Amino acid sequence: MWLNPEEVLLANALWVTERANPYFVLQRRKGHGEGGGGLAGLLVGTLDVVLDSSARVAPYRILYQTPDSLAYWTIACGGSRKEITEHWEWMEHNLLQTLSIFENENDITTFVKGKIQGIIAEYNKNNDIKEDDDTDKFKEAILKFRKLFGMPEEEKLVNYYSCSYWKGRVPRQGWMYLSINHLCFYSFLLGKEAKLVIRWADITQLEKNTTLLFPEMIKVSTRCSEHIFSVFLNIGETFKLMEQLANIAMRQLLDNEGFEEDRSLPRLKKKSPQKVSVLKRDLDARAKSERYRALFRLPKDERLDGHTDCTLWTPFSKMHVVGQMFVSTNYICFTSKEENLCSLIIPLREVTIVEKADSSSVLPSPLSISTKNRMTFFFANLKDRDFLVQRISDFLQQTTSKIYFDKEIVGSLNSDEVFSRQSSIISGSPQRSLSSTSDTDGERQFNLNGNSVPIATQTLMTMYRRRSPEEFNPKVAKELMKEQSWKIHFAEYGRGVCMYRTEKTQELVLKGMPESMRGELWLLFSGAINEMATHPGYYSDLVEKSIGKYNLATEEIERDLHRSLPEHPAFQNEMGIGALRRVLTAYAFRNPNIGYCQAMNIVTSVLLLYAKEEEAFWLLVALCERMLPDYYNTRVVGALVDQGVFEELTRDYVPQLYDCMQYLGVISTISLSWFLTLFLSVMPFESAVVVVDCFFFEGIKVIFQLALSVLDANIDKLLNCKDDGEAMTILGKYLDSVTNKDSTLPPIPHLHSLLSDDGDPYPEVDIFKLIRSSYDKFGSIRADVIEQMRFKQRLRVIQTLEDTTKRNVVRAIVTDTAFTIDELEELYVLFKAEHLTSCYWGGNSNATERHDPSLPYLEQYRIDFEQFKGLFALLFPWSCGAHSDILAGRLFRLLDENGDSLINFKEFVTGLSTMCHADLVEKLKLLYKVHVLPEPFFNEQEDPDSAFEATQYFFEDITPETIHVVTEVESRTKSETEDGFVTVNLRNEKVEKRPNPRDYRHYIRMWAQEREPKLESIKDLPKLNQEQFIELCRTLYNMFSEDANEQELYHSTAAVTSLLLEIGEVGKQFISQALQEPGSSHDNKSRVHPKKENQPLHYGQGDSFCPILDGMDDEKVASSELQDIKLDGGSPKDNGVSSAMLISDDETKDDTSMSSYSVLSAGSNDDDKLQCEDITEDTVLVRNNDETPLPRSSSIDKDWAITFEQFLASLLTETALVRYFEKAGVVMARITNAKNVRMMGKPITSASDYEISTISG
């Protein structure tokens, strides 16, 4: 490749000159090419790897030099001699003569540099190569990465680091390459290569620790191996990047969220670090934005723009607080350097004025920000105030225009349009719901109160809990005092989202939120208030869209509605139940990945008691998507992750109890029930809501602290427990005794306490004292430490779930196949890897469609035809020759039982097992069936009779009535089921009764028959027509191309083919005689063999083939046209053999590269003979005495056919074929090779100790 000219100091150091002229020098790197350069070459190769030299990838280069100068410039490099020679010859022909014209050396140098740069610019323009931010050094690293590990262009390199890889006690110095989907390592020391490739999706543990032997090391563990890396220049940066990439892989395993590069990053500055890639900057920006959102509870799509040190004037303490200002697209935030001293969130939608105040020695570079609620915030000590103000002004302008735009839309447009512009979360086409069918003007109000969909505008607690004057008592007085304390706090620190949050705020939360303000404060501290403010009308629109929709989630919601706080009066009537139904259904419609999970109903019912319906919805969004991530998906992964974190915290903070709890197995039992419902299901209601108060303020940290406090308070009793039941009873009684003496609510009987025994009552425990104790003893737990533990546990949990899925799948099908458990597990790993590879390297179908964790285990991973084709070539014993893809397509259609163009693991293994381990008859039956399939997209000219016969065989259970029903239902619900919901129409419609309707019992009987296993008989198989037989012959000829007994198998195939041709002709004669009637011979001929001109048959996906028999004129096409099939010079009977495709041994010896040569005779005259050279993809078929090409595919005989019995009987006459099909396939060797090929791009070539070409998992 041509390079921008760069000056070289030592032109001949470590390079060998191969060609030279007065201006240019072609050089080769020492140690590369013939001989390897001996010891010097080995040393040079080692230096190239250790010093990250580009010569490792491009061992050839061309230098430019003027005759009287000692300076050299590199102008081209090459990875092969051919590439560099092309550049050299181009320069000799195009530049040398031109350079001789110049007199001044400076002019020559300028001309050469300009010419090379022009060539590069022209190449970039022609190939549409856009300039990017990656440096030349990093582009070299990308080339090395792709060349060394065989990675495609779709695999993006993020960064690379120098390190040592330890194999036993021997360190190998080299380079670690971190890409989006792989961790790779390469080393070359004194001629010995070491390569390692690990998928991030296969990593089960990633640790950074220090030992006596390894001062700073990173240990990467997979299911089958451990790898240790050390001697990093910046181990902290490397480990953080590895964590991020592993997290991306886990997210992909969990919900198929692939990585998408951020194209909106600002361009690099000129003084930026040299090795920083665009992807590395992207990932760094994501990590910072994630920490920023978690710190200030901001929406998931908020991105940090930048941060700077500053001071904030706090009017309540009359002092300047040192901290950091964070600026993002929609928010300005501040947090103090001293933890919990002060924090602030200012949404730009609330900002009215941003102005620069006058600087002074006391207050340098001040900035004033005013909000709508008349609060003013003063920042000072800003380093780049002018730039900061400009950024804030730009964001303000965007926010203002967006607010006006939203207002215009809400006022004038249909709400369907509003919804589609405001959010991209809901996919699928907008659908008209039942309540909007009566709208004639296309407009409807967002506030649905009073309409067909009532939405509660009051909290359920205020509707069912009215305080009367007679109720006044000390508890009520204390409640009023709490309200007054919060009002005083609001007056001093501000109210609403712009409130100063200080240690005083935390103190008030720990004392308990007043009942009347609880909903407002939950919205404020959870950040749900921001999402609700920026999505006006979103919930109402969701509610209306979800009316009448029915799916699995809504079914589960209906089942659990009456189990949600049934003891509370608010949920003993339709008002509370209806509100709960609407919130849960709307969320299931918003987030179909979660849909509905048990425990969501309990949490949502409590939210509805203290928040309005729309507010409760946004609180649920904050809970499920930000504060408790992955808790409520189908496998409760988040709760399992936090269960592991809780075990670690128990070991660290209550070590004397850890071993006992592990032995009893209690932690796994208690943590799910405690964490999923935030203690609402295990504590009295009035106490549990106090826990929820603290949770919305502090996050998951509070739940861990409280759980540790409960264990700590019962440590002595738990240590004396003999089994888990006794331990659970102790903990249950303790939690039942937790009381809230300040609560003004009437006592609500707790379900757990009602079910417990009537033993001695447990001493009451005050909830406020318990929470205070948890802060005193375990308040040192930090949120960032919890996140670090969560990452470690997430790897373990997701990989454990994947292993469980694998075991369940293998267990479900091991009895149906001849494979061993180990073989099935290895096949499953390959099958899943193929699915994952297509997710990040592209595929024809959507990854989300192919992986649905809610499906049964056997159907969770599915592959399309392109993926199957790759696995077919690597694993299936019949995949030989150029015909492999067509055979793969036929087999894929046969295995795809439900016709969705996807096959699951069971279907895949069924086909492979038949090819490898089935008996002779089953293998031949499979071979026959894949060629007798009806072919709607393979062959448009198929005989209607044979197509109907084959269709009846493969789809015999689909009767015309069911086809009609399916078609009608599909056409009616196609647009209604795109989002996974089915619309239930409640309107009365007149249905026209059809004559003789089918009884529903008919369908029950039909389904019962489908469930019964059918014993397949070979007599049931449809006949094989002539066109299908041709393709079967082609498959057989290609199948043996790599077999040791190739020639013998070809001879046997030719004999079987000839015999089958004769059998088919004999059968055709009977048909012809039956069809012929006196005086109508010509009519029969034209009916049996209609004239078809210039209608080529297309096979496979765009591949055409030449049939054995070319077209003939009407005069020559007679009913007896192909009745005699024989060899040249006589019939098979005369020769004593049954072969139409036989070649002599002498011919075989002369040309072994030719698979076979055969001549087929058509008709009784020698003039009509057709020659066929090797029925393969490049078949050329001609008429003997006619050089003019004839119309193709016009002479396929529609009456010619054979049965499976005839095919089987003919093949059994040839011993070589019988031996071939009886031979069992060895699948483990193919699996091992497939794993290496899929990852390394090449088969296994070396078993050297230094060749570590592995795929983990």
Side-chain angles (χ1 to χ4, degrees):
M1 61 182 291
W2 298 104
L3 303 173
N4 282 313
E6 283 189 23
E7 191 169 354
V8 177
L9 296 178
L10 299 173
N12 295 316
L14 307 180
W15 292 85
V16 178
T17 299
E18 294 200 337
R19 293 188 187 184
N21 58 44
Y23 296 100
F24 302 104
V25 179
L26 190 155
Q27 294 183 329
R28 171 178 54 83
R29 189 69 164 178
K30 285 184 179 179
H32 183 84
E34 296 179 3
L39 180 60
L42 295 179
L43 291 173
V44 171
T46 302
L47 284 174
D48 288 341
V49 172
V50 173
L51 300 179
D52 191 28
S53 170
S54 60
R56 189 69 189 165
V57 174
Y60 297 94
R61 70 180 183 180
I62 297 176
L63 302 180
Y64 160 75
Q65 181 203 27
T66 54
D68 299 330
S69 172
L70 297 177
Y72 289 83
W73 286 269
T74 56
I75 59 173
C77 68
S80 65
R81 186 181 296 276
K82 179 182 177 182
E83 179 185 1
I84 205 69
T85 302
E86 289 177 356
H87 289 356
W88 178 266
E89 290 175 351
W90 183 90
M91 287 191 304
E92 285 185 332
H93 289 95
N94 296 280
L95 282 184
L96 277 182
Q97 293 181 355
T98 307
L99 297 182
S100 62
I101 300 173
F102 292 93
E103 297 179 357
N104 190 336
E105 289 187 359
N106 292 333
D107 293 342
I108 297 175
T109 303
T110 303
F111 175 77
V112 171
K113 288 183 177 180
K115 189 69 175 176
I116 299 301
Q117 290 169 350
I119 293 172
I120 295 173
E122 185 68 22
Y123 176 81
N124 291 343
K125 180 181 178 181
N126 293 339
N127 293 274
D128 196 25
I129 298 175
K130 298 179 181 178
E131 183 182 357
D132 54 32
D133 284 341
D134 286 339
T135 60
D136 291 338
K137 187 69 175 173
F138 194 78
K139 289 177 182 177
E140 285 182 10
I142 294 174
L143 289 175
K144 291 181 197 173
F145 170 68
R146 290 177 183 164
K147 182 176 180 180
L148 290 172
F149 305 104
M151 295 293 179
E153 290 187 8
E154 292 83 1
E155 183 67 0
K156 303 295 184 182
L157 179 66
V158 180
N159 213 349
Y160 63 107
Y161 300 94
S162 174
C163 67
S164 288
Y165 171 66
W166 290 80
K167 180 68 174 177
R169 297 182 180 180
V170 182
R172 294 174 174 83
Q173 184 65 29
W175 292 86
M176 175 190 286
Y177 295 85
L178 304 180
S179 67
I180 291 296
N181 304 294
H182 298 92
L183 182 158
C184 304
F185 176 83
Y186 178 79
S187 173
F188 180 88
L189 292 176
L190 301 178
K192 299 295 184 179
E193 275 192 339
K195 284 186 183 180
L196 178 71
V197 177
I198 305 173
R199 256 194 225 95
W200 292 116
D202 293 330
I203 291 177
T204 57
Q205 196 171 9
L206 193 61
E207 291 181 297
K208 181 183 71 172
N209 48 34
T210 301
T211 63
L212 187 60
L213 182 60
F214 307 111
E216 281 188 323
M217 71 169 191
I218 296 176
K219 186 170 76 171
V220 179
S221 302
T222 64
R223 291 176 177 84
C224 57
S225 58
E226 288 185 354
H227 309 278
I228 295 175
F229 302 91
S230 64
V231 197
F232 289 93
L233 295 177
N234 190 342
I235 193 170
E237 176 190 329
T238 308
F239 187 71
K240 283 183 179 178
L241 180 57
M242 293 171 77
E243 279 188 324
Q244 268 190 290
L245 295 171
N247 253 328
I248 291 172
M250 293 304 106
R251 179 57 54 189
Q252 193 176 55
L253 284 176
L254 191 60
D255 51 19
N256 277 294
E257 282 188 10
F259 178 82
E260 293 184 6
E261 187 177 346
D262 186 359
R263 301 288 182 181
S264 61
L265 287 174
R267 296 184 66 84
L268 273 176
K269 297 179 181 178
K270 292 183 179 179
K271 295 183 180 180
S272 61
Q274 287 189 348
K275 285 204 312 179
V276 175
S277 69
V278 176
L279 278 177
K280 176 69 168 61
R281 293 170 53 227
D282 183 6
L283 289 172
D284 288 343
R286 291 176 189 231
K288 290 177 181 177
S289 294
E290 193 172 338
R291 289 194 294 270
Y292 167 66
R293 291 192 297 265
L295 182 61
F296 297 104
R297 307 278 171 78
L298 299 178
K300 290 182 71 176
D301 57 351
E302 193 66 20
R303 293 194 305 178
L304 179 64
D305 186 69
H307 59 90
T308 182
D309 293 334
C310 66
T311 59
L312 172 66
W313 171 255
T314 52
F316 51 87
S317 61
K318 303 295 189 291
M319 61 182 291
H320 292 280
V321 177
V322 179
Q324 279 191 321
M325 173 193 284
F326 299 83
V327 179
S328 61
T329 316
N330 299 293
Y331 298 89
I332 300 171
C333 302
F334 174 87
T335 184
S336 59
K337 288 284 180 71
E338 184 181 343
E339 194 175 4
N340 294 331
L341 183 61
C342 180
S343 66
L344 183 67
I345 301 172
I346 308 173
L348 291 182
R349 65 179 183 272
E350 299 290 329
V351 174
T352 54
I353 300 174
V354 178
E355 57 183 350
K356 294 182 282 189
D358 295 333
S359 296
S360 65
S361 58
V362 180
L363 207 63
S365 302
L367 180 66
S368 166
I369 299 177
S370 302
T371 61
K372 294 177 182 177
N373 59 354
R374 299 181 181 179
M375 293 182 71
T376 303
F377 305 95
F378 289 98
F379 298 91
N381 293 285
L382 295 163
K383 292 181 180 179
D384 197 349
R385 183 179 63 168
D386 294 339
F387 175 76
L388 180 65
V389 170
Q390 183 60 46
R391 293 299 292 167
I392 294 175
S393 299
D394 293 343
F395 291 139
L396 266 175
Q397 191 173 3
Q398 296 173 14
T399 305
T400 306
S401 60
K402 183 180 178 182
I403 291 173
Y404 289 148
F405 181 68
D406 288 348
K407 284 183 179 179
E408 289 179 14
I409 293 175
V410 171
S412 62
L413 295 179
N414 186 300
S415 62
D416 281 342
E417 298 176 35
V418 179
F419 186 74
S420 63
R421 295 196 190 193
Q422 286 180 346
S423 173
S424 61
I425 297 174
I426 301 299
S427 60
S429 57
Q431 301 165 20
R432 181 176 296 274
S433 60
L434 294 179
S435 60
S436 62
T437 52
S438 60
D439 296 342
T440 56
D441 56 355
E443 296 182 2
R444 52 182 171 81
Q445 299 296 321
F446 277 115
N447 185 3
L448 301 178
N449 293 320
N451 294 346
S452 59
V453 187
I455 291 180
T457 56
Q458 289 183 321
T459 66
L460 295 181
M461 188 65 76
T462 57
M463 299 168 74
Y464 289 95
R465 170 89 175 112
R466 306 274 183 192
R467 186 180 297 160
S468 60
E470 294 80 12
E471 277 189 63
F472 195 82
N473 56 44
K475 288 187 177 181
V476 175
K478 196 166 185 178
E479 182 73 12
L480 292 175
M481 288 175 63
K482 282 186 186 178
E483 292 181 11
Q484 191 62 30
S485 298
W486 276 96
K487 288 178 181 178
I488 294 171
H489 184 272
F490 290 149
E492 187 174 358
Y493 296 91
R495 187 166 189 168
V497 71
C498 297
M499 177 180 70
Y500 291 98
R501 303 163 196 233
T502 65
E503 291 176 330
K504 181 69 179 298
T505 311
Q506 185 186 48
E507 286 294 321
L508 286 176
V509 170
L510 294 182
K511 291 179 181 178
M513 297 178 183
E515 300 279 341
S516 59
M517 297 180 179
R518 184 164 271 143
E520 175 190 351
L521 294 173
W522 283 358
L523 278 172
L524 179 64
F525 294 135
S526 67
I529 189 172
N530 294 314
E531 289 167 302
M532 188 171 76
T534 53
H535 294 81
Y538 178 90
Y539 173 69
S540 301
D541 195 89
L542 270 183
V543 170
E544 187 161 347
K545 281 176 176 292
S546 60
I547 292 177
K549 297 296 179 66
Y550 185 79
N551 72 346
L552 182 61
T554 58
E555 181 183 347
E556 292 177 348
I557 289 170
E558 290 296 327
R559 186 183 62 210
D560 288 347
L561 283 176
H562 295 279
R563 306 176 187 172
S564 311
L565 290 186
E567 62 276 8
H568 198 285
F571 298 100
Q572 294 172 357
N573 58 71
E574 187 52 38
M575 179 63 76
I577 295 294
L580 183 60
R581 177 188 292 111
R582 288 190 294 273
V583 172
L584 291 174
T585 305
Y587 186 77
F589 194 56
R590 166 192 166 89
N591 192 344
N593 289 333
I594 291 179
Y596 171 77
C597 174
Q598 285 188 342
M600 285 175 67
N601 60 318
I602 297 174
V603 175
T604 307
S605 59
V606 175
L607 298 178
L608 281 167
L609 289 176
Y610 294 101
K612 299 173 185 177
E613 192 172 316
E614 184 177 4
E615 295 171 346
F617 170 79
W618 287 112
L619 283 169
L620 183 63
V621 169
L623 199 70
C624 295
E625 298 176 10
R626 289 191 287 107
M627 302 189 74
L628 295 177
D630 302 322
Y631 258 60
Y632 300 105
N633 57 24
T634 53
R635 298 188 284 183
V636 293
V637 172
L640 293 174
V641 168
D642 281 351
Q643 174 185 307
V645 173
F646 183 51
E647 288 185 11
E648 279 196 67
L649 292 173
T650 305
R651 184 187 60 209
D652 295 340
Y653 288 91
V654 198
Q656 63 272 36
L657 191 59
Y658 177 74
D659 291 336
C660 174
M661 298 297 283
Q662 288 293 102
Y663 171 74
L664 295 175
V666 174
I667 291 182
S668 60
T669 307
I670 61 175
S671 54
L672 283 180
S673 60
W674 293 3
F675 296 165
L676 275 171
T677 62
L678 304 176
F679 286 93
L680 287 166
S681 63
V682 293
M683 266 190 195
F685 171 77
E686 61 275 9
S687 301
V689 290
V690 180
V691 177
V692 179
D693 294 344
C694 299
F695 168 75
F696 278 125
F697 184 76
E698 289 272 16
I700 193 64
K701 169 186 171 181
V702 173
I703 305 300
F704 287 126
Q705 289 177 183
L706 191 62
L708 289 172
S709 291
V710 172
L711 294 184
D712 185 66
N714 294 276
I715 189 168
D716 294 330
K717 294 181 179 179
L718 291 173
L719 287 173
N720 295 323
C721 289
K722 295 184 176 63
D723 55 39
D724 58 340
E726 187 180 353
M728 291 299 297
T729 302
I730 290 171
L731 293 173
K733 285 185 176 181
Y734 179 84
L735 290 170
D736 287 338
S737 68
V738 178
T739 59
N740 180 0
K741 297 180 180 178
D742 296 344
S743 175
T744 60
L745 298 174
I748 299 173
H750 189 240
L751 183 60
H752 188 273
S753 61
L754 291 174
L755 297 176
S756 59
D757 56 13
D758 297 325
D760 296 333
Y762 207 97
E764 288 188 353
V765 180
D766 185 67
I767 182 63
F768 297 106
K769 290 182 180 178
L770 180 62
I771 290 176
R772 178 67 65 181
S773 171
S774 73
Y775 272 87
D776 293 341
K777 292 183 178 180
F778 309 108
S780 59
I781 299 174
R782 295 173 55 87
D784 56 345
V785 175
I786 291 175
E787 285 305 314
Q788 184 67 32
M789 290 181 172
R790 275 179 165 178
F791 163 74
K792 179 181 175 182
Q793 295 297 328
R794 191 177 295 116
L795 285 179
R796 181 188 61 81
V797 167
I798 293 180
Q799 297 293 13
T800 301
L801 290 172
E802 291 294 313
D803 289 342
T804 301
T805 301
K806 178 174 68 175
R807 285 194 298 271
N808 289 336
V809 168
V810 169
R811 192 182 301 120
I813 65 176
V814 68
T815 56
D816 299 332
T817 69
F819 291 123
T820 65
I821 291 178
D822 291 339
E823 288 173 337
L824 285 173
E825 289 185 350
E826 291 292 341
L827 286 171
Y828 180 83
V829 169
L830 264 181
F831 189 86
K832 187 180 79 171
E834 188 67 30
H835 164 83
L836 294 176
T837 301
S838 71
C839 291
Y840 46 73
W841 287 350
N844 289 342
S845 54
N846 188 356
T848 308
E849 295 174 359
R850 288 183 274 112
H851 180 217
D852 184 356
S854 64
L855 291 173
Y857 289 121
L858 280 173
E859 299 178 20
Q860 284 191 8
Y861 289 110
R862 294 175 291 173
I863 59 175
D864 58 22
F865 173 64
E866 286 301 317
Q867 298 166 270
F868 175 78
K869 188 166 63 175
L871 287 177
F872 180 85
L874 292 169
L875 296 174
F876 285 70
W878 294 355
S879 61
C880 297
H883 195 65
S884 179
D885 287 354
I886 295 178
L887 181 60
R890 292 176 169 277
L891 181 61
F892 182 85
R893 288 187 57 216
L894 181 66
L895 297 177
D896 182 18
E897 296 178 356
N898 57 0
D900 61 353
S901 298
L902 297 170
I903 63 170
N904 59 39
F905 182 64
K906 182 179 181 181
E907 294 166 341
F908 173 80
V909 168
T910 300
L912 183 59
S913 178
T914 303
M915 282 194 188
C916 291
H917 297 299
D919 59 25
L920 173 68
V921 176
E922 288 301 318
K923 287 182 181 179
L924 293 177
K925 190 188 296 183
L926 176 66
L927 182 63
Y928 185 89
K929 284 163 68 174
V930 297
H931 290 88
V932 81
L933 271 174
E935 306 180 60
F937 66 87
F938 279 116
N939 186 359
E940 297 177 357
Q941 307 293 337
E942 187 174 348
D943 178 23
D945 295 333
S946 63
F948 177 76
E949 185 181 1
T951 304
Q952 285 294 101
Y953 173 76
F954 286 103
F955 308 106
E956 59 189 357
D957 291 335
I958 303 179
T959 62
E961 290 80 3
T962 58
I963 292 173
H964 175 78
V965 171
V966 170
T967 305
E968 183 179 347
V969 172
E970 284 182 352
S971 62
R972 187 183 302 172
T973 63
K974 181 179 179 182
S975 63
E976 298 175 356
T977 57
E978 290 180 357
D979 53 4
F981 286 76
V982 177
T983 302
V984 180
N985 195 339
L986 303 178
R987 291 177 294 180
N988 294 325
E989 295 180 353
K990 294 182 179 180
V991 180
E992 182 181 353
K993 292 186 178 180
R994 297 175 182 173
N996 300 324
R998 286 275 185 179
D999 195 326
Y1000 69 91
R1001 286 171 293 186
H1002 162 75
Y1003 296 105
I1004 294 177
R1005 286 193 298 269
M1006 183 182 68
W1007 291 331
Q1009 291 173 1
E1010 286 181 0
R1011 295 177 62 89
E1012 293 177 0
K1014 293 184 295 182
L1015 296 176
E1016 187 180 64
S1017 171
I1018 60 175
K1019 294 184 178 181
D1020 297 332
L1021 290 169
K1023 292 181 180 180
L1024 196 73
N1025 64 28
Q1026 192 176 79
E1027 183 182 341
Q1028 294 165 343
F1029 174 71
I1030 294 169
E1031 197 61 33
L1032 176 60
C1033 293
R1034 178 180 293 170
T1035 299
L1036 287 171
Y1037 269 76
N1038 282 272
M1039 194 183 293
F1040 313 132
S1041 61
E1042 297 178 9
D1043 195 272
N1045 302 317
E1046 179 180 349
Q1047 290 303 322
E1048 185 182 2
L1049 288 166
Y1050 283 145
H1051 284 243
S1052 299
T1053 304
V1056 171
T1057 304
S1058 176
L1059 182 58
L1060 287 172
L1061 282 169
E1062 294 181 47
I1063 292 173
E1065 286 302 317
V1066 171
K1068 191 195 73 171
Q1069 290 183 31
F1070 285 106
I1071 296 174
S1072 300
Q1073 292 172 3
L1075 290 174
Q1076 277 188 341
E1077 294 178 6
S1080 60
S1081 174
H1082 180 74
D1083 294 340
N1084 284 335
K1085 282 189 292 183
S1086 60
R1087 180 169 59 85
V1088 176
H1089 301 282
K1091 181 177 179 181
K1092 300 180 182 179
E1093 294 187 2
N1094 301 322
Q1095 295 180 352
L1097 285 171
H1098 295 286
Y1099 220 85
Q1101 298 177 343
D1103 297 331
S1104 63
F1105 77 99
C1106 301
I1108 292 178
L1109 302 170
D1110 280 341
M1112 299 181 181
D1113 300 304
D1114 262 26
E1115 295 82 4
K1116 295 184 180 181
V1117 178
S1119 60
S1120 61
E1121 185 76 49
L1122 297 172
Q1123 62 185 0
D1124 296 320
I1125 304 296
K1126 58 185 179 180
L1127 290 170
D1128 283 337
S1131 68
K1133 294 179 181 179
D1134 298 332
N1135 292 329
V1137 294
S1138 299
S1139 175
M1141 300 177 183
L1142 189 62
I1143 66 175
S1144 68
D1145 291 339
D1146 295 334
E1147 287 174 330
T1148 304
K1149 293 174 183 176
D1150 292 339
D1151 186 6
T1152 56
S1153 63
M1154 186 174 176
S1155 297
S1156 65
Y1157 180 86
S1158 55
V1159 177
L1160 299 183
S1161 298
S1164 58
N1165 299 322
D1166 290 344
D1167 292 341
D1168 294 328
K1169 290 178 183 177
L1170 301 176
Q1171 294 181 355
C1172 173
E1173 297 182 13
D1174 188 12
I1175 306 179
T1176 57
E1177 294 298 327
D1178 55 351
T1179 301
V1180 179
L1181 302 143
V1182 295
R1183 188 189 297 265
N1184 270 356
N1185 298 323
D1186 191 356
E1187 296 181 358
T1188 306
L1190 296 170
R1192 296 167 61 191
S1193 105
S1194 59
S1195 60
I1196 295 297
D1197 198 329
K1198 302 301 180 181
D1199 291 334
W1200 191 98
I1202 60 170
T1203 64
F1204 176 71
E1205 296 99 311
Q1206 294 166 343
F1207 171 68
L1208 176 61
S1210 301
L1211 193 138
L1212 289 175
T1213 62
E1214 294 295 327
T1215 309
L1217 289 174
V1218 171
R1219 282 200 307 266
Y1220 178 84
F1221 284 104
E1222 283 183 340
K1223 181 175 61 178
V1226 181
V1227 76
M1228 281 307 293
R1230 287 178 171 269
I1231 290 173
T1232 303
N1233 186 59
K1235 290 166 75 173
N1236 194 65
V1237 169
R1238 301 311 283 173
M1239 293 303 303
M1240 304 301 298
K1242 59 183 179 181
I1244 296 174
T1245 56
S1246 174
S1248 166
D1249 179 51
Y1250 285 86
E1251 294 277 341
I1252 320 168
S1253 300
T1254 63
I1255 164 180
S1256 300

